[in-house]
PDB file of all heavy atoms in Angstrom:
ATOM      1  N   GLU A   1      10.192  -4.306  -4.535  1.00 92.00           N
ATOM      2  CA  GLU A   1      10.441  -2.937  -4.095  1.00 92.00           C
ATOM      3  C   GLU A   1      10.083  -1.950  -5.215  1.00 92.00           C
ATOM      4  O   GLU A   1       9.548  -0.867  -4.977  1.00 92.00           O
ATOM      5  CB  GLU A   1      11.832  -2.755  -3.660  1.00 92.00           C
ATOM      6  CG  GLU A   1      11.943  -2.038  -2.324  1.00 92.00           C
ATOM      7  CD  GLU A   1      13.298  -2.047  -1.712  1.00 92.00           C
ATOM      8  OE1 GLU A   1      13.749  -3.135  -1.364  1.00 92.00           O
ATOM      9  OE2 GLU A   1      13.890  -0.969  -1.653  1.00 92.00           O
ATOM     10  N   GLY A   2      10.409  -2.292  -6.414  1.00 92.00           N
ATOM     11  CA  GLY A   2      10.155  -1.370  -7.551  1.00 92.00           C
ATOM     12  C   GLY A   2       8.721  -1.097  -7.870  1.00 92.00           C
ATOM     13  O   GLY A   2       8.417  -0.171  -8.596  1.00 92.00           O
ATOM     14  N   ARG A   3       7.818  -1.929  -7.412  1.00 94.00           N
ATOM     15  CA  ARG A   3       6.410  -1.782  -7.699  1.00 94.00           C
ATOM     16  C   ARG A   3       5.637  -1.024  -6.593  1.00 94.00           C
ATOM     17  O   ARG A   3       4.401  -0.812  -6.750  1.00 94.00           O
ATOM     18  CB  ARG A   3       5.779  -3.140  -7.914  1.00 94.00           C
ATOM     19  CG  ARG A   3       6.511  -3.864  -9.065  1.00 94.00           C
ATOM     20  CD  ARG A   3       5.880  -5.123  -9.432  1.00 94.00           C
ATOM     21  NE  ARG A   3       4.623  -4.837 -10.175  1.00 94.00           N
ATOM     22  CZ  ARG A   3       3.707  -5.716 -10.459  1.00 94.00           C
ATOM     23  NH1 ARG A   3       3.854  -6.931 -10.053  1.00 94.00           N
ATOM     24  NH2 ARG A   3       2.597  -5.365 -11.125  1.00 94.00           N
ATOM     25  N   VAL A   4       6.284  -0.628  -5.500  1.00 95.00           N
ATOM     26  CA  VAL A   4       5.620  -0.087  -4.362  1.00 95.00           C
ATOM     27  C   VAL A   4       4.887   1.233  -4.701  1.00 95.00           C
ATOM     28  O   VAL A   4       3.721   1.329  -4.352  1.00 95.00           O
ATOM     29  CB  VAL A   4       6.592   0.153  -3.158  1.00 95.00           C
ATOM     30  CG1 VAL A   4       5.947   0.942  -2.086  1.00 95.00           C
ATOM     31  CG2 VAL A   4       7.076  -1.179  -2.644  1.00 95.00           C
ATOM     32  N   ASN A   5       5.512   2.147  -5.417  1.00 96.00           N
ATOM     33  CA  ASN A   5       4.892   3.437  -5.693  1.00 96.00           C
ATOM     34  C   ASN A   5       3.637   3.269  -6.525  1.00 96.00           C
ATOM     35  O   ASN A   5       2.674   3.878  -6.252  1.00 96.00           O
ATOM     36  CB  ASN A   5       5.885   4.385  -6.340  1.00 96.00           C
ATOM     37  CG  ASN A   5       6.972   4.876  -5.386  1.00 96.00           C
ATOM     38  OD1 ASN A   5       6.777   4.902  -4.175  1.00 96.00           O
ATOM     39  ND2 ASN A   5       8.077   5.269  -5.912  1.00 96.00           N
ATOM     40  N   GLY A   6       3.712   2.422  -7.484  1.00 96.00           N
ATOM     41  CA  GLY A   6       2.503   2.178  -8.382  1.00 96.00           C
ATOM     42  C   GLY A   6       1.386   1.563  -7.554  1.00 96.00           C
ATOM     43  O   GLY A   6       0.214   1.906  -7.757  1.00 96.00           O
ATOM     44  N   CYS A   7       1.761   0.650  -6.679  1.00 96.00           N
ATOM     45  CA  CYS A   7       0.753  -0.013  -5.837  1.00 96.00           C
ATOM     46  C   CYS A   7       0.116   1.005  -4.917  1.00 96.00           C
ATOM     47  O   CYS A   7      -1.192   1.059  -4.810  1.00 96.00           O
ATOM     48  CB  CYS A   7       1.402  -1.157  -5.028  1.00 96.00           C
ATOM     49  SG  CYS A   7       0.309  -1.955  -3.862  1.00 96.00           S
ATOM     50  N   VAL A   8       0.865   1.812  -4.265  1.00 97.00           N
ATOM     51  CA  VAL A   8       0.347   2.826  -3.319  1.00 97.00           C
ATOM     52  C   VAL A   8      -0.547   3.825  -4.081  1.00 97.00           C
ATOM     53  O   VAL A   8      -1.614   4.107  -3.624  1.00 97.00           O
ATOM     54  CB  VAL A   8       1.472   3.519  -2.547  1.00 97.00           C
ATOM     55  CG1 VAL A   8       0.954   4.771  -1.813  1.00 97.00           C
ATOM     56  CG2 VAL A   8       2.122   2.569  -1.555  1.00 97.00           C
ATOM     57  N   GLU A   9      -0.108   4.241  -5.255  1.00 97.00           N
ATOM     58  CA  GLU A   9      -0.853   5.222  -6.005  1.00 97.00           C
ATOM     59  C   GLU A   9      -2.164   4.633  -6.457  1.00 97.00           C
ATOM     60  O   GLU A   9      -3.256   5.288  -6.399  1.00 97.00           O
ATOM     61  CB  GLU A   9      -0.073   5.686  -7.253  1.00 97.00           C
ATOM     62  CG  GLU A   9       1.045   6.623  -6.900  1.00 97.00           C
ATOM     63  CD  GLU A   9       2.057   6.854  -8.065  1.00 97.00           C
ATOM     64  OE1 GLU A   9       1.683   6.385  -9.227  1.00 97.00           O
ATOM     65  OE2 GLU A   9       3.069   7.427  -7.827  1.00 97.00           O
ATOM     66  N   ALA A  10      -2.212   3.370  -6.851  1.00 97.00           N
ATOM     67  CA  ALA A  10      -3.434   2.692  -7.298  1.00 97.00           C
ATOM     68  C   ALA A  10      -4.422   2.577  -6.127  1.00 97.00           C
ATOM     69  O   ALA A  10      -5.621   2.818  -6.268  1.00 97.00           O
ATOM     70  CB  ALA A  10      -3.141   1.304  -7.847  1.00 97.00           C
ATOM     71  N   ILE A  11      -3.939   2.232  -4.925  1.00 97.00           N
ATOM     72  CA  ILE A  11      -4.768   2.149  -3.739  1.00 97.00           C
ATOM     73  C   ILE A  11      -5.404   3.490  -3.407  1.00 97.00           C
ATOM     74  O   ILE A  11      -6.572   3.611  -3.104  1.00 97.00           O
ATOM     75  CB  ILE A  11      -4.021   1.530  -2.571  1.00 97.00           C
ATOM     76  CG1 ILE A  11      -3.705   0.050  -2.881  1.00 97.00           C
ATOM     77  CG2 ILE A  11      -4.900   1.597  -1.288  1.00 97.00           C
ATOM     78  CD1 ILE A  11      -2.704  -0.617  -1.858  1.00 97.00           C
ATOM     79  N   VAL A  12      -4.525   4.491  -3.353  1.00 97.00           N
ATOM     80  CA  VAL A  12      -4.993   5.855  -2.981  1.00 97.00           C
ATOM     81  C   VAL A  12      -6.139   6.304  -4.041  1.00 97.00           C
ATOM     82  O   VAL A  12      -7.139   6.815  -3.558  1.00 97.00           O
ATOM     83  CB  VAL A  12      -3.845   6.894  -2.933  1.00 97.00           C
ATOM     84  CG1 VAL A  12      -4.372   8.283  -2.919  1.00 97.00           C
ATOM     85  CG2 VAL A  12      -2.953   6.571  -1.797  1.00 97.00           C
ATOM     86  N   ALA A  13      -5.832   6.109  -5.282  1.00 97.00           N
ATOM     87  CA  ALA A  13      -6.802   6.574  -6.256  1.00 97.00           C
ATOM     88  C   ALA A  13      -8.136   5.819  -6.185  1.00 97.00           C
ATOM     89  O   ALA A  13      -9.213   6.432  -6.265  1.00 97.00           O
ATOM     90  CB  ALA A  13      -6.237   6.343  -7.675  1.00 97.00           C
ATOM     91  N   ALA A  14      -8.097   4.535  -5.886  1.00 97.00           N
ATOM     92  CA  ALA A  14      -9.273   3.706  -5.821  1.00 97.00           C
ATOM     93  C   ALA A  14     -10.049   3.862  -4.459  1.00 97.00           C
ATOM     94  O   ALA A  14     -11.294   3.725  -4.435  1.00 97.00           O
ATOM     95  CB  ALA A  14      -8.951   2.221  -6.052  1.00 97.00           C
ATOM     96  N   ALA A  15      -9.358   4.111  -3.420  1.00 96.00           N
ATOM     97  CA  ALA A  15      -9.998   4.156  -2.076  1.00 96.00           C
ATOM     98  C   ALA A  15     -10.366   5.554  -1.646  1.00 96.00           C
ATOM     99  O   ALA A  15     -11.132   5.726  -0.703  1.00 96.00           O
ATOM    100  CB  ALA A  15      -9.024   3.540  -1.016  1.00 96.00           C
ATOM    101  N   HIS A  16      -9.965   6.577  -2.352  1.00 96.00           N
ATOM    102  CA  HIS A  16     -10.214   7.934  -2.007  1.00 96.00           C
ATOM    103  C   HIS A  16     -11.686   8.340  -2.101  1.00 96.00           C
ATOM    104  O   HIS A  16     -12.272   8.137  -3.182  1.00 96.00           O
ATOM    105  CB  HIS A  16      -9.363   8.892  -2.820  1.00 96.00           C
ATOM    106  CG  HIS A  16      -9.530  10.357  -2.469  1.00 96.00           C
ATOM    107  ND1 HIS A  16     -10.348  11.098  -3.181  1.00 96.00           N
ATOM    108  CD2 HIS A  16      -8.949  11.080  -1.554  1.00 96.00           C
ATOM    109  CE1 HIS A  16     -10.311  12.344  -2.669  1.00 96.00           C
ATOM    110  NE2 HIS A  16      -9.451  12.367  -1.702  1.00 96.00           N
ATOM    111  N   THR A  17     -12.227   8.903  -1.060  1.00 93.00           N
ATOM    112  CA  THR A  17     -13.562   9.480  -1.128  1.00 93.00           C
ATOM    113  C   THR A  17     -13.579  10.951  -0.776  1.00 93.00           C
ATOM    114  O   THR A  17     -14.519  11.698  -1.054  1.00 93.00           O
ATOM    115  CB  THR A  17     -14.605   8.799  -0.168  1.00 93.00           C
ATOM    116  OG1 THR A  17     -14.230   9.086   1.168  1.00 93.00           O
ATOM    117  CG2 THR A  17     -14.657   7.303  -0.412  1.00 93.00           C
ATOM    118  N   GLY A  18     -12.448  11.354  -0.152  1.00 91.00           N
ATOM    119  CA  GLY A  18     -12.357  12.804   0.297  1.00 91.00           C
ATOM    120  C   GLY A  18     -12.990  13.071   1.615  1.00 91.00           C
ATOM    121  O   GLY A  18     -13.010  14.167   2.119  1.00 91.00           O
ATOM    122  N   LYS A  19     -13.517  12.007   2.251  1.00 88.00           N
ATOM    123  CA  LYS A  19     -14.138  12.165   3.541  1.00 88.00           C
ATOM    124  C   LYS A  19     -13.294  11.539   4.636  1.00 88.00           C
ATOM    125  O   LYS A  19     -12.463  10.707   4.352  1.00 88.00           O
ATOM    126  CB  LYS A  19     -15.535  11.486   3.550  1.00 88.00           C
ATOM    127  CG  LYS A  19     -16.451  12.136   2.544  1.00 88.00           C
ATOM    128  CD  LYS A  19     -17.889  11.641   2.637  1.00 88.00           C
ATOM    129  CE  LYS A  19     -18.751  12.487   1.792  1.00 88.00           C
ATOM    130  NZ  LYS A  19     -19.586  11.827   0.897  1.00 88.00           N
ATOM    131  N   ILE A  20     -13.516  11.939   5.842  1.00 84.00           N
ATOM    132  CA  ILE A  20     -12.757  11.388   6.990  1.00 84.00           C
ATOM    133  C   ILE A  20     -12.996   9.899   7.075  1.00 84.00           C
ATOM    134  O   ILE A  20     -14.040   9.424   6.774  1.00 84.00           O
ATOM    135  CB  ILE A  20     -13.172  12.131   8.286  1.00 84.00           C
ATOM    136  CG1 ILE A  20     -12.160  11.885   9.399  1.00 84.00           C
ATOM    137  CG2 ILE A  20     -14.569  11.740   8.691  1.00 84.00           C
ATOM    138  CD1 ILE A  20     -12.267  12.796  10.556  1.00 84.00           C
ATOM    139  N   GLY A  21     -11.929   9.162   7.410  1.00 84.00           N
ATOM    140  CA  GLY A  21     -12.025   7.730   7.533  1.00 84.00           C
ATOM    141  C   GLY A  21     -11.669   6.985   6.260  1.00 84.00           C
ATOM    142  O   GLY A  21     -11.919   5.764   6.132  1.00 84.00           O
ATOM    143  N   ASP A  22     -11.063   7.614   5.290  1.00 90.00           N
ATOM    144  CA  ASP A  22     -10.679   6.982   4.014  1.00 90.00           C
ATOM    145  C   ASP A  22      -9.628   5.884   4.293  1.00 90.00           C
ATOM    146  O   ASP A  22      -9.559   4.878   3.565  1.00 90.00           O
ATOM    147  CB  ASP A  22     -10.107   7.939   3.011  1.00 90.00           C
ATOM    148  CG  ASP A  22     -11.179   8.537   2.135  1.00 90.00           C
ATOM    149  OD1 ASP A  22     -12.344   8.138   2.230  1.00 90.00           O
ATOM    150  OD2 ASP A  22     -10.878   9.424   1.314  1.00 90.00           O
ATOM    151  N   GLY A  23      -8.808   6.031   5.331  1.00 92.00           N
ATOM    152  CA  GLY A  23      -7.880   4.973   5.701  1.00 92.00           C
ATOM    153  C   GLY A  23      -6.450   5.379   5.646  1.00 92.00           C
ATOM    154  O   GLY A  23      -6.120   6.524   5.550  1.00 92.00           O
ATOM    155  N   LYS A  24      -5.573   4.374   5.768  1.00 95.00           N
ATOM    156  CA  LYS A  24      -4.142   4.606   5.740  1.00 95.00           C
ATOM    157  C   LYS A  24      -3.457   3.459   4.992  1.00 95.00           C
ATOM    158  O   LYS A  24      -3.982   2.384   4.878  1.00 95.00           O
ATOM    159  CB  LYS A  24      -3.597   4.591   7.178  1.00 95.00           C
ATOM    160  CG  LYS A  24      -4.050   5.774   8.051  1.00 95.00           C
ATOM    161  CD  LYS A  24      -2.906   6.268   8.878  1.00 95.00           C
ATOM    162  CE  LYS A  24      -3.146   7.483   9.638  1.00 95.00           C
ATOM    163  NZ  LYS A  24      -4.458   7.979   9.923  1.00 95.00           N
ATOM    164  N   ILE A  25      -2.218   3.764   4.581  1.00 97.00           N
ATOM    165  CA  ILE A  25      -1.373   2.735   3.894  1.00 97.00           C
ATOM    166  C   ILE A  25      -0.035   2.650   4.652  1.00 97.00           C
ATOM    167  O   ILE A  25       0.561   3.728   4.946  1.00 97.00           O
ATOM    168  CB  ILE A  25      -1.112   3.108   2.448  1.00 97.00           C
ATOM    169  CG1 ILE A  25      -2.453   3.162   1.702  1.00 97.00           C
ATOM    170  CG2 ILE A  25      -0.192   2.086   1.804  1.00 97.00           C
ATOM    171  CD1 ILE A  25      -2.391   3.607   0.254  1.00 97.00           C
ATOM    172  N   PHE A  26       0.408   1.469   4.943  1.00 98.00           N
ATOM    173  CA  PHE A  26       1.708   1.221   5.626  1.00 98.00           C
ATOM    174  C   PHE A  26       2.553   0.430   4.667  1.00 98.00           C
ATOM    175  O   PHE A  26       2.092  -0.587   4.154  1.00 98.00           O
ATOM    176  CB  PHE A  26       1.482   0.520   6.920  1.00 98.00           C
ATOM    177  CG  PHE A  26       0.491   1.197   7.853  1.00 98.00           C
ATOM    178  CD1 PHE A  26      -0.833   0.762   7.920  1.00 98.00           C
ATOM    179  CD2 PHE A  26       0.933   2.230   8.690  1.00 98.00           C
ATOM    180  CE1 PHE A  26      -1.709   1.386   8.730  1.00 98.00           C
ATOM    181  CE2 PHE A  26       0.003   2.850   9.520  1.00 98.00           C
ATOM    182  CZ  PHE A  26      -1.344   2.420   9.510  1.00 98.00           C
ATOM    183  N   VAL A  27       3.802   0.771   4.560  1.00 98.00           N
ATOM    184  CA  VAL A  27       4.768  -0.005   3.742  1.00 98.00           C
ATOM    185  C   VAL A  27       5.919  -0.460   4.701  1.00 98.00           C
ATOM    186  O   VAL A  27       6.552   0.338   5.346  1.00 98.00           O
ATOM    187  CB  VAL A  27       5.300   0.826   2.602  1.00 98.00           C
ATOM    188  CG1 VAL A  27       6.273   0.020   1.752  1.00 98.00           C
ATOM    189  CG2 VAL A  27       4.218   1.323   1.694  1.00 98.00           C
ATOM    190  N   THR A  28       6.152  -1.746   4.687  1.00 97.00           N
ATOM    191  CA  THR A  28       7.209  -2.277   5.599  1.00 97.00           C
ATOM    192  C   THR A  28       8.045  -3.261   4.780  1.00 97.00           C
ATOM    193  O   THR A  28       7.605  -3.832   3.697  1.00 97.00           O
ATOM    194  CB  THR A  28       6.592  -3.081   6.813  1.00 97.00           C
ATOM    195  OG1 THR A  28       5.693  -4.045   6.347  1.00 97.00           O
ATOM    196  CG2 THR A  28       5.869  -2.082   7.739  1.00 97.00           C
ATOM    197  N   SER A  29       9.268  -3.551   5.280  1.00 96.00           N
ATOM    198  CA  SER A  29      10.125  -4.478   4.604  1.00 96.00           C
ATOM    199  C   SER A  29       9.770  -5.913   4.992  1.00 96.00           C
ATOM    200  O   SER A  29       9.350  -6.189   6.122  1.00 96.00           O
ATOM    201  CB  SER A  29      11.577  -4.234   5.073  1.00 96.00           C
ATOM    202  OG  SER A  29      12.014  -3.003   4.550  1.00 96.00           O
ATOM    203  N   VAL A  30       9.972  -6.818   4.023  1.00 94.00           N
ATOM    204  CA  VAL A  30       9.734  -8.253   4.268  1.00 94.00           C
ATOM    205  C   VAL A  30      11.106  -8.930   4.149  1.00 94.00           C
ATOM    206  O   VAL A  30      11.749  -8.793   3.113  1.00 94.00           O
ATOM    207  CB  VAL A  30       8.785  -8.842   3.269  1.00 94.00           C
ATOM    208  CG1 VAL A  30       8.647 -10.302   3.377  1.00 94.00           C
ATOM    209  CG2 VAL A  30       7.395  -8.126   3.383  1.00 94.00           C
ATOM    210  N   GLU A  31      11.543  -9.664   5.166  1.00 94.00           N
ATOM    211  CA  GLU A  31      12.812 -10.309   5.139  1.00 94.00           C
ATOM    212  C   GLU A  31      12.821 -11.642   4.409  1.00 94.00           C
ATOM    213  O   GLU A  31      13.792 -11.994   3.770  1.00 94.00           O
ATOM    214  CB  GLU A  31      13.304 -10.499   6.617  1.00 94.00           C
ATOM    215  CG  GLU A  31      13.575  -9.216   7.303  1.00 94.00           C
ATOM    216  CD  GLU A  31      14.113  -9.408   8.644  1.00 94.00           C
ATOM    217  OE1 GLU A  31      14.741 -10.486   8.930  1.00 94.00           O
ATOM    218  OE2 GLU A  31      13.907  -8.505   9.490  1.00 94.00           O
ATOM    219  N   LYS A  32      11.711 -12.394   4.529  1.00 93.00           N
ATOM    220  CA  LYS A  32      11.716 -13.756   3.933  1.00 93.00           C
ATOM    221  C   LYS A  32      10.282 -14.091   3.581  1.00 93.00           C
ATOM    222  O   LYS A  32       9.365 -13.788   4.231  1.00 93.00           O
ATOM    223  CB  LYS A  32      12.255 -14.768   4.964  1.00 93.00           C
ATOM    224  CG  LYS A  32      12.432 -16.140   4.417  1.00 93.00           C
ATOM    225  CD  LYS A  32      13.236 -16.960   5.423  1.00 93.00           C
ATOM    226  CE  LYS A  32      14.039 -18.042   4.823  1.00 93.00           C
ATOM    227  NZ  LYS A  32      15.038 -17.693   3.853  1.00 93.00           N
ATOM    228  N   VAL A  33      10.200 -14.805   2.436  1.00 92.00           N
ATOM    229  CA  VAL A  33       8.896 -15.349   1.968  1.00 92.00           C
ATOM    230  C   VAL A  33       9.186 -16.838   1.600  1.00 92.00           C
ATOM    231  O   VAL A  33      10.151 -17.119   0.977  1.00 92.00           O
ATOM    232  CB  VAL A  33       8.373 -14.590   0.745  1.00 92.00           C
ATOM    233  CG1 VAL A  33       7.109 -15.249   0.247  1.00 92.00           C
ATOM    234  CG2 VAL A  33       8.199 -13.151   1.072  1.00 92.00           C
ATOM    235  N   VAL A  34       8.291 -17.707   2.062  1.00 93.00           N
ATOM    236  CA  VAL A  34       8.360 -19.104   1.695  1.00 93.00           C
ATOM    237  C   VAL A  34       7.012 -19.588   1.141  1.00 93.00           C
ATOM    238  O   VAL A  34       6.000 -19.360   1.843  1.00 93.00           O
ATOM    239  CB  VAL A  34       8.705 -19.980   2.903  1.00 93.00           C
ATOM    240  CG1 VAL A  34       8.797 -21.441   2.531  1.00 93.00           C
ATOM    241  CG2 VAL A  34      10.042 -19.539   3.514  1.00 93.00           C
ATOM    242  N   ARG A  35       7.019 -20.168  -0.040  1.00 92.00           N
ATOM    243  CA  ARG A  35       5.789 -20.744  -0.579  1.00 92.00           C
ATOM    244  C   ARG A  35       5.712 -22.185   0.020  1.00 92.00           C
ATOM    245  O   ARG A  35       6.608 -23.020  -0.244  1.00 92.00           O
ATOM    246  CB  ARG A  35       5.767 -20.872  -2.078  1.00 92.00           C
ATOM    247  CG  ARG A  35       4.466 -21.369  -2.637  1.00 92.00           C
ATOM    248  CD  ARG A  35       4.482 -21.461  -4.155  1.00 92.00           C
ATOM    249  NE  ARG A  35       4.952 -20.227  -4.847  1.00 92.00           N
ATOM    250  CZ  ARG A  35       4.201 -19.277  -5.278  1.00 92.00           C
ATOM    251  NH1 ARG A  35       2.918 -19.381  -5.152  1.00 92.00           N
ATOM    252  NH2 ARG A  35       4.719 -18.281  -5.871  1.00 92.00           N
TER     253      ARG A  35
END
């Protein structure tokens, strides 16, 4: 959870073109992870 803002900022900075269709970012909770 603590890394979400940095992750979102990095994606926005790298994916931004300023033109329509640049995309969207969704952040959701994950209840369980199993390797």
